[in-house]
Amino acid sequence: MRAAGILAGIIFSPARLASLVVTRREPGLAAPAFFSLAGGVLSLLLGLMVVQGASGASARSLFSTLGFLLPLLGLFVLLCKVAMVHVFAGLWGQRGDVRSLWVGLSFSWAPFLLLLPFSLVLRVTGLSGLYALALLAVMGMGWRIEVLIIKEVYRLATGRAVALFVLPLVLTVALVLAVLLALAALISSLVLAGLGLVL
């Protein structure tokens, strides 16, 4: 029951819980943080499956595959995000506890726990088209939690915390675009070589 209270607290009163995470006045936050991450990812997956109307053997195979891979992917993304935020904060001369950052950013997945029940309600009422708005609202809640955690961990003003939150996102997008462009250049050069158009 205590874990449910912590998760409800991070959704409905994130500033208070962000302070508890950073000052460690509330022991035992690592397990609810991990549940928040894994449960949020699975709730997102199940919510999408409900809204899309997936059922039967295809839904079971999809969930058995993605239900294992997506939490691992979420953990990897979280690890990269924690590393980038901590490195950039260090470059700005800020000091903070990386463990508190890890636990706090794990809690940013707590709002995603709302997606499965919301998708069920939308499916029953025939309003599945509103799921995209619910997803955007939940992402906004998660981003707000991330900014509050960064602000508390590194004792920053809100503007600098937002900048520290946005910087890894921008770099990730730039890295993904660079990889995609390199892949496209590689494929196009292979196609040109296969057609004999290489000098």
Side-chain angles (χ1 to χ4, degrees):
M1 190 62 179
R2 183 173 165 274
I6 290 171
L7 292 175
I10 200 68
I11 292 171
F12 298 111
S13 179
R16 181 180 169 279
L17 203 59
S19 174
L20 289 177
V21 167
V22 172
T23 58
R24 294 187 187 165
R25 288 195 301 260
E26 186 74 33
L29 290 175
F34 177 75
F35 174 75
S36 172
L37 172 67
V41 171
L42 291 177
S43 177
L44 172 63
L45 173 63
L46 289 171
L48 286 170
M49 289 173 66
V50 166
V51 168
Q52 296 298 322
S55 62
S58 64
R60 283 192 298 274
S61 64
L62 181 68
F63 183 74
S64 65
T65 304
L66 294 181
F68 175 72
L69 292 177
L70 284 181
L72 290 178
L73 180 64
L75 200 59
F76 176 73
V77 168
L78 179 67
L79 177 65
C80 292
K81 187 182 292 188
V82 166
M84 283 194 282
V85 167
H86 195 66
V87 165
F88 284 117
L91 291 174
W92 278 358
Q94 304 298 319
R95 296 287 174 258
D97 185 17
V98 74
R99 290 170 297 178
S100 296
L101 183 65
W102 174 269
V103 170
L105 292 185
S106 296
F107 275 123
S108 69
W109 283 89
F112 286 86
L113 292 170
L114 301 173
L115 284 176
L116 179 58
F118 195 70
S119 65
L120 291 170
V121 169
L122 289 177
R123 178 74 185 223
V124 168
T125 58
L127 299 171
S128 297
L130 295 177
Y131 185 78
L133 292 175
L135 182 59
L136 286 175
V138 164
M139 287 173 64
M141 291 170 67
W143 290 343
R144 179 173 181 248
I145 292 167
E146 287 188 35
V147 169
L148 288 171
I149 292 293
I150 291 169
K151 181 179 175 182
E152 287 290 326
V153 168
Y154 297 106
R155 294 170 294 283
L156 296 170
T158 303
R160 291 193 74 179
V162 169
L164 194 54
F165 164 75
V166 169
L167 193 57
L169 289 177
V170 170
L171 287 175
T172 302
V173 169
L175 181 65
V176 167
L177 286 177
V179 167
L180 289 176
L181 287 174
L183 215 76
L186 176 67
I187 291 171
S188 65
S189 66
L190 289 174
V191 168
L192 290 175
L195 294 174
L197 298 175
V198 178
L199 296 176

